[in-house]
Amino acid sequence: MRFNTGQLEIPPHKSLYLHKVARHMSISKKLFIVGASGHTGSYLVQFALEAGHKVTAYSRKEMDIMNPEFQLIQGDIMLSDNLDAAMAGHDAVLSAIGPRSGGLNVLYQGMQRLIEAAKQSGVKRLLGIGGAGILEADDTHLVRDMPDFPDFLKEISAAHYLSYELLTNSGLDWTFICPPMMQAGERTGQYRHQAEKALPNATAIRFADVADLMLECAEEDLYLRRRVAIAY
């Protein structure tokens, strides 16, 4: 099958690429990406630079990226005392911080640090990543409250919910992407997403596609003050 666009015939494998190019033909933003060297964060940096945005990556690790629109600040959000100064002047903060070997506290304590720094620096837009367990399963229950929710996910889901509560009380223009199990693989751009309620049969999503949706939300101010379900 080919997509007819007047005089041009575009093969299906190129139509997604052209859709992304059209989506990114907007005013360049200055993005502050936290956890930039991780699975999702590295894709956020890549996609944002490809889209023509200016990127400040805040990471504990070195990042070997040669791009005039890229700046690396090495630091730890749990230890830094100048996070707000580094964040100042950006249009949005995108957090891809994940759990550490020392525990899950970094998820909600890190979110608290980001919220405080965003307020002090004057940045209103904050996007983060939680988990599908904190989405609405029905009108009265969260996914994590259902009998079949896996025991091994309950602790991290509790940390995600604490982060969500911090966001709801922050006064910022936040978005919280809540994926199911994430996995490796290149961006497909083909996935479902909706606000607040869990998607049926949501079992997996790639890190790259989570980054894709997160960047789109930052670019177009989608899902303001909402949890967002995503899945194939």
Side-chain angles (χ1 to χ4, degrees):
M1 176 180 178
R2 287 177 176 267
F3 298 84
N4 194 310
T5 62
Q7 295 181 338
L8 295 176
E9 286 190 346
I10 303 173
H13 73 279
K14 291 185 178 180
S15 65
L16 173 62
Y17 169 76
L18 293 177
H19 167 72
K20 299 299 181 185
V21 171
R23 191 187 94 190
H24 293 320
M25 289 179 64
S26 58
I27 297 174
S28 173
K29 291 182 179 289
K30 192 173 183 182
L31 304 177
F32 190 88
I33 300 177
V34 184
S37 60
H39 293 297
T40 308
S42 58
Y43 281 116
L44 280 171
V45 171
Q46 176 189 334
F47 297 162
L49 290 173
E50 288 174 351
H53 301 299
K54 300 179 187 298
V55 172
T56 301
Y58 196 87
S59 173
R60 292 181 295 159
K61 299 179 181 178
E62 290 273 4
M63 298 181 69
D64 186 18
I65 296 177
M66 301 299 292
N67 188 307
E69 304 300 336
F70 176 80
Q71 177 188 9
L72 173 64
I73 298 177
Q74 279 193 266
D76 187 329
I77 62 169
M78 301 303 295
L79 302 175
S80 175
D81 57 1
N82 66 344
L83 190 58
D84 55 327
M87 198 180 287
H90 289 79
D91 296 304
V93 175
L94 292 78
S95 172
I97 57 175
R100 297 181 184 175
S101 57
L104 299 173
N105 291 358
V106 66
L107 294 177
Y108 56 87
Q109 291 176 355
M111 182 61 74
Q112 182 64 57
R113 293 295 307 276
L114 291 176
I115 289 170
E116 292 171 353
K119 288 182 174 181
Q120 292 168 4
S121 65
V123 178
K124 288 289 293 180
R125 190 77 170 104
L126 174 58
L127 301 92
I129 301 173
I134 68 167
L135 295 166
E136 296 175 358
D138 54 39
D139 291 339
T140 56
H141 299 90
L142 299 179
V143 172
R144 64 188 302 267
D145 299 326
M146 304 305 286
D148 59 348
F149 190 73
D151 287 341
F152 75 94
L153 292 176
K154 288 182 177 178
E155 187 177 2
I156 192 170
S157 185
H160 287 151
Y161 192 78
L162 287 173
S163 296
Y164 167 65
E165 287 187 317
L166 290 170
L167 287 168
T168 59
N169 294 315
S170 68
L172 299 174
D173 292 333
W174 56 270
T175 299
F176 207 35
I177 310 293
C178 299
M181 195 69 67
M182 290 191 283
Q183 58 192 24
E186 294 304 307
R187 172 171 60 182
T188 70
Q190 302 291 329
Y191 47 80
R192 299 173 291 154
H193 54 91
Q194 66 183 23
E196 302 297 339
K197 295 204 176 279
L199 290 161
N201 303 313
T203 57
I205 190 74
R206 294 180 179 181
F207 296 106
D209 281 324
V210 172
D212 183 73
L213 178 60
M214 197 173 185
L215 180 59
E216 184 173 5
C217 288
E219 290 172 332
E220 302 184 17
D221 282 338
L222 302 178
Y223 293 120
L224 292 178
R225 301 187 179 188
R226 292 289 185 268
R227 292 165 292 183
V228 184
I230 178 173
Y232 295 125

